[in-house]
Amino acid sequence: MAQRKNPKSHSRKEGKTSPVESKNGKRTEGGGGGEGDGGGGAKYSMFTWVVVLALLGVWSSLAVVYFDIVDYDSVIGLREAVRPNPADSPEDKTESSEHVTESTNQQPAEPQAGESVAAASSETPAEQGASESGGGPSAHGGEVSGSQDVDSEIQAAVPLPPMVEDDFVPDDPRGDGEHPYEDEANTIDTTGVLVEEPPPQKSEVASGQELTSSKFTKEDEPVMEAENQSKAPVEPEPESQTLRETASITKAHATEEELKEKAKKKKPKLLNKLDKTIKAELDAAEKLRKKGKLEEALRMFEALVHQHPHSPRSRYGKAQVEDDLAEKLRSNDMLQRAINTYREAAELPDVTSDLLRAALKRRAERQRFLGRMRGSLATLEKLVQVFPEDISLKNDLGVAHLLVGDNKGAKRVYEEVLAVAPGDGFAKVHYGFILKSENKIAESIPYLKEGLETGEPGTDDGRFYFHLGDALQRVRDESAYHWYELGHQRGHFASVWQRSLYNVDGLKAQPWWTPRETGYTDLVKALERNWRTIRDEALAVMDQSTGLFIPEEENLREKGEWGQYTLWQQGRKAGTSCQGVPKTCSLMERYPEATGCKRGQIKFSVMQPGTHVWPHTGPTNCRLRMHLGLVIPKHGCRIRCTNQTREWEEGKVLIFDDSFEHEVWQDADSYRLIFIVDVWHPELTTHQRQTLSAI
């Protein structure tokens, strides 16, 4: 009879000897402590299978590696790509897979938390190019890395700086990074210019164009990118997705080929045969210049000029370093040296046409910077003689004529440009500007309007919106305010009403002021207490008929007669005019806020019956204008500022901000005489009053 087992011990035994199913489907009894030989057999089976499994694992690993069955890099990458970040919101889950795209399209104008673009925006466009090895800007202590791509810089909301350095010598796109010249043995092209191969699909800014395509890129690409990031991805149908991908690849390939072809055509040739023989030395000196080691670079270029006096590239490099040093040291003497060296480089025999153009164009720019307007004009005239087909140089020449006051010369140049390029927007706005200055109001309008509508570089200027609107007002065309609104939207005007162009930001702006608001109550009281004395001296000067009341010369009258007698202008006495009105001048000398106002005037103004002054604005928001009534007819004299119209009173002061649109009518039966006193805007600091330029 079999022995009866204890249920508890049986349960424990079953737990130890429960069958285990191996991978081959056989079952073995596991555990230890079995009875008799059964226990030894179980241990032997377990050891055997452990050995077999170990051998299988080794051979499997060898097979995977040898036959490349599994791509571990792909598996690891996929795992990293799909690994969720607990800190991410659901909307951000797609960012990891789009990291490369976003890093190369980041906008400097829209920095992320703590990022700054000040350092990048101070560089020239060529220095803000993309790094072959870098992605988008990265934040380090609140600063953006200098290795930003060209697209990002072109899309910047902050206007790109003028091409004031190396218009025709592309800078190293890596800029002034930590190690900008490591591993660049193959980054020097056959012309001797330090340039990297242009990355694919990067927009190119034409030489001399300050804002080329930046606004269009800013308006289009960032919006598209924002839309793509904000919308959840939708799985497309396979057929449509394939078609889109094919079209996208084809378009991208075509664009890449076009840009590469364009880049090849635009690349300047700066080395002649002699320069090619010393290319290594030139490159070494140029590297020092790009790294900011200007003193060392200057010594190297000077040595090259001494050894090879007929090398245009050596002398041009010397001029560039002197130019850079002038900026660094803020030295006009050093800048004059650079101007002279640019000329020497351009006059050497066998100079390449690209280097000749670059040297003379930069020379003209630096001459203009120093105020040598006629010298700049002469340099540009020589450039146009050498490159008569270059429209951009002719446009620059026209501006140079305007800067020396030669409107006729400028008009002739722009007529030549429009004869061969009738759609040139730059020439149109400048030609329209000249016509308006000749009081050919109706003729100027289409040129100004069509030029602005082109949106070409150099046309988006507040002066052209200002003069187009003014011309339209004078032909009583209400669309003037449409153009003023556009000028305001473009950032040229503070508002549709306030259209001054020389402004200090942040000053209180309102058309009409009270004496208390200005803080100049003492001056107002002095004027009103002494108004009869001021009036009598003015009448005495008028009665002498000496011609001291000069007709208004700003072309502001539609009709009538308007004369002025100036005592102070731009913060200085106007000749000997105070000798005729000594008491008035003695009174005014007590108030430096008026006599020291470099952006204003102190003068008498007499206006005869039948006079109308067109709506207009003053040049700056830095002043307020006081009108003291001296001889005021009872009816018919009024002044409008914005949409409020007021009348003068004898012995009373009106105060308004003449940077706002204002208009005057004199419909009385006799003359109107007032005393005009301009004062500094009360919110300007002492430092600003001392340092602002005169107007």
Side-chain angles (χ1 to χ4, degrees):
M1 185 173 176
Q3 184 179 2
R4 188 172 181 176
K5 297 180 181 179
N6 189 314
K8 292 184 179 179
S9 63
H10 177 69
S11 175
R12 285 194 297 270
K13 186 174 180 181
E14 286 180 345
K16 292 180 180 179
T17 61
S18 59
V20 176
E21 182 172 329
S22 68
K23 291 184 178 180
N24 62 1
K26 294 183 179 180
R27 298 171 65 88
T28 58
E29 295 295 328
E35 296 179 5
D37 293 340
K43 289 181 180 179
Y44 179 80
S45 299
M46 195 65 171
F47 174 78
T48 302
W49 283 113
V50 167
V51 172
V52 170
L53 288 173
L55 289 174
L56 284 173
V58 171
W59 283 108
S60 298
S61 300
L62 288 173
V64 167
V65 173
Y66 184 79
F67 295 104
D68 198 18
I69 295 174
V70 179
D71 186 352
Y72 283 99
D73 291 336
S74 299
V75 173
I76 294 170
L78 179 61
R79 182 183 177 187
E80 293 294 330
V82 300
R83 178 181 298 166
N85 186 346
D88 290 341
S89 63
E91 292 82 359
D92 297 331
K93 289 183 179 179
T94 60
E95 289 185 2
S96 60
S97 62
E98 298 173 355
H99 173 72
V100 176
T101 303
E102 291 178 354
S103 68
T104 57
N105 289 301
Q106 247 179 342
Q107 303 299 313
E110 299 175 4
Q112 301 302 318
E115 292 185 358
S116 168
V117 297
S121 66
S122 66
E123 298 175 352
T124 61
E127 292 172 336
Q128 295 171 338
S131 169
E132 288 281 350
S133 60
S138 60
H140 299 282
E143 294 183 0
V144 176
S145 167
S147 59
Q148 297 176 355
D149 65 282
V150 174
D151 286 340
S152 293
E153 291 304 324
I154 292 177
Q155 293 168 7
V158 178
L160 299 178
M163 303 278 284
V164 294
E165 180 176 80
D166 296 343
D167 276 356
F168 307 96
V169 184
D171 284 341
D172 185 351
R174 282 181 282 190
D176 298 323
E178 186 176 351
H179 302 288
Y181 292 97
E182 291 183 358
D183 304 325
E184 63 171 1
N186 297 322
T187 63
I188 302 175
D189 71 357
T190 57
T191 67
V193 184
L194 297 174
V195 344
E196 290 188 286
E197 194 67 19
Q201 297 183 348
K202 299 267 177 119
S203 302
E204 177 175 326
V205 180
S207 174
Q209 295 181 354
E210 297 178 6
L211 292 171
T212 308
S213 78
S214 63
K215 291 188 177 179
F216 301 108
T217 309
K218 174 188 166 189
E219 290 170 0
D220 297 337
E221 295 184 12
V223 173
M224 293 172 62
E225 183 180 358
E227 289 176 354
N228 292 338
Q229 292 178 2
S230 63
K231 294 180 181 179
V234 177
E235 187 67 29
E237 295 179 2
E239 294 82 6
S240 60
Q241 173 70 7
T242 303
L243 289 174
R244 272 199 290 269
E245 288 179 352
T246 304
S248 176
I249 293 171
T250 304
K251 183 177 180 181
H253 180 72
T255 304
E256 179 180 346
E257 293 300 324
E258 291 173 3
L259 290 176
K260 284 185 176 180
E261 187 65 26
K262 190 175 182 181
K264 289 180 182 178
K265 293 179 181 179
K266 291 288 184 180
K267 188 176 293 183
K269 305 297 182 183
L270 302 182
L271 302 186
N272 63 10
K273 291 182 180 179
L274 170 61
D275 291 329
K276 289 179 181 179
T277 64
I278 57 172
K279 180 176 180 295
E281 292 91 334
L282 289 169
D283 291 342
E286 185 69 8
K287 284 184 181 181
L288 290 173
R289 185 179 81 86
K290 295 295 179 63
K291 288 182 177 180
K293 299 179 179 180
L294 300 179
E295 290 78 7
E296 295 179 46
L298 182 59
R299 285 194 293 271
M300 283 198 69
F301 276 119
E302 285 176 338
L304 286 170
V305 169
H306 180 72
Q307 296 169 11
H308 308 280
H310 295 293
S311 164
R313 183 64 182 88
S314 298
R315 211 168 291 264
Y316 179 66
K318 177 175 176 283
Q320 288 182 299
V321 179
E322 291 168 342
D323 202 339
D324 294 343
L325 276 171
E327 296 255 355
K328 179 180 177 181
L329 303 175
R330 305 183 67 83
S331 169
N332 287 348
D333 292 337
M334 182 61 73
L335 184 54
Q336 185 58 53
R337 281 179 56 183
I339 289 171
N340 294 337
T341 309
Y342 282 125
R343 186 199 66 237
E344 294 168 3
E347 291 176 349
L348 286 174
D350 298 326
V351 60
T352 67
S353 61
D354 285 341
L355 193 143
L356 172 64
R357 189 182 190 278
L360 289 182
K361 193 170 190 300
R362 182 61 176 172
R363 182 171 191 261
E365 291 171 356
R366 304 315 274 161
Q367 286 175 308
R368 185 166 67 183
F369 178 82
L370 278 182
R372 313 274 171 81
M373 300 303 180
R374 295 200 175 276
S376 178
L377 174 61
T379 301
L380 285 167
E381 284 177 336
K382 182 175 181 180
L383 260 175
V384 170
Q385 290 174 3
V386 178
F387 304 98
E389 304 300 322
D390 194 318
I391 297 299
S392 67
L393 291 178
K394 286 189 175 181
N395 282 334
D396 291 343
L397 178 60
V399 173
H401 278 287
L402 288 172
L403 289 174
V404 298
D406 182 14
N407 285 20
K408 290 183 179 179
K411 185 178 182 181
R412 183 178 63 254
V413 170
Y414 289 123
E415 285 174 344
E416 293 174 1
V417 171
L418 291 172
V420 297
D424 189 279
F426 188 93
K428 279 189 170 184
V429 290
H430 285 82
Y431 190 66
F433 173 82
I434 294 168
L435 290 175
K436 185 171 180 293
S437 70
E438 296 175 346
N439 210 29
K440 298 178 179 178
I441 305 300
E443 294 178 46
S444 72
I445 291 174
Y447 287 100
L448 288 166
K449 183 178 179 181
E450 292 169 12
L452 283 171
E453 287 173 341
T454 65
E456 292 179 7
T459 61
D460 188 18
D461 188 301
R463 290 167 293 184
F464 302 130
Y465 288 95
F466 182 97
H467 286 288
L468 174 57
D470 184 64
L472 290 167
Q473 280 186 306
R474 296 193 184 198
V475 297
R476 293 177 169 79
D477 187 331
E478 289 300 321
S479 68
Y481 290 96
H482 164 74
W483 289 98
Y484 289 146
E485 176 62 29
L486 284 179
H488 168 56
Q489 292 175 3
R490 294 280 187 172
H492 302 307
F493 307 140
S495 71
V496 172
W497 290 115
Q498 190 179 24
R499 303 190 296 272
S500 52
L501 297 175
Y502 300 91
N503 302 320
V504 170
D505 292 337
L507 298 181
K508 182 179 180 179
Q510 62 186 43
W512 294 98
W513 291 65
T514 66
R516 185 180 298 275
E517 287 174 325
T518 68
Y520 300 133
T521 54
D522 290 344
L523 172 57
V524 173
K525 289 177 181 178
L527 291 172
E528 292 183 345
R529 280 197 301 262
N530 295 279
W531 76 273
R532 289 186 175 85
T533 301
I534 298 171
R535 178 198 62 188
D536 293 344
E537 285 195 330
L539 291 174
V541 174
M542 283 180 62
D543 290 342
Q544 291 177 3
S545 300
T546 58
L548 294 179
F549 271 40
I550 301 172
E552 176 272 328
E553 297 176 343
E554 299 179 60
N555 191 28
L556 297 176
R557 286 171 295 156
E558 177 189 11
K559 57 182 180 178
E561 297 180 20
W562 180 17
Q564 301 178 4
Y565 178 36
T566 302
L567 306 180
W568 270 268
Q569 179 135 346
Q570 297 182 341
R572 296 181 178 182
K573 282 187 177 180
T576 60
S577 58
C578 276
Q579 294 179 4
V581 287
K583 294 179 182 179
T584 301
C585 287
S586 177
L587 175 67
M588 294 310 304
E589 285 172 346
R590 304 175 191 173
Y591 300 97
E593 62 267 29
T595 58
C597 182
K598 294 184 294 183
R599 295 196 162 189
Q601 300 169 307
I602 300 175
K603 60 187 178 182
F604 294 102
S605 170
V606 61
M607 188 175 290
Q608 301 298 330
T611 301
H612 173 233
V613 178
W614 291 111
H616 64 286
T617 60
T620 179
N621 73 338
C622 295
R623 73 188 187 200
L624 300 179
R625 176 155 285 189
M626 298 183 179
H627 281 188
L628 172 65
L630 300 178
V631 178
I632 307 298
K634 290 185 178 180
H635 303 287
C637 296
R638 63 192 188 279
I639 178 172
R640 174 185 66 82
C641 187
T642 63
N643 56 359
Q644 301 177 45
T645 301
R646 300 188 181 182
E647 297 181 353
W648 297 273
E649 296 180 44
E650 292 183 357
K652 297 297 181 181
V653 171
L654 286 178
I655 308 173
F656 67 101
D657 184 340
D658 77 326
S659 65
F660 287 85
E661 179 181 292
H662 54 286
E663 183 177 10
V664 177
W665 297 266
Q666 215 290 41
D667 297 325
D669 296 330
S670 59
Y671 67 85
R672 181 226 64 181
L673 176 64
I674 62 174
F675 187 45
I676 298 177
V677 179
D678 289 336
V679 293
W680 284 118
H681 192 290
E683 293 182 354
L684 288 173
T685 66
T686 301
H687 176 72
Q688 288 172 319
R689 299 181 189 197
Q690 292 172 347
T691 57
L692 283 170
S693 60
I695 294 178

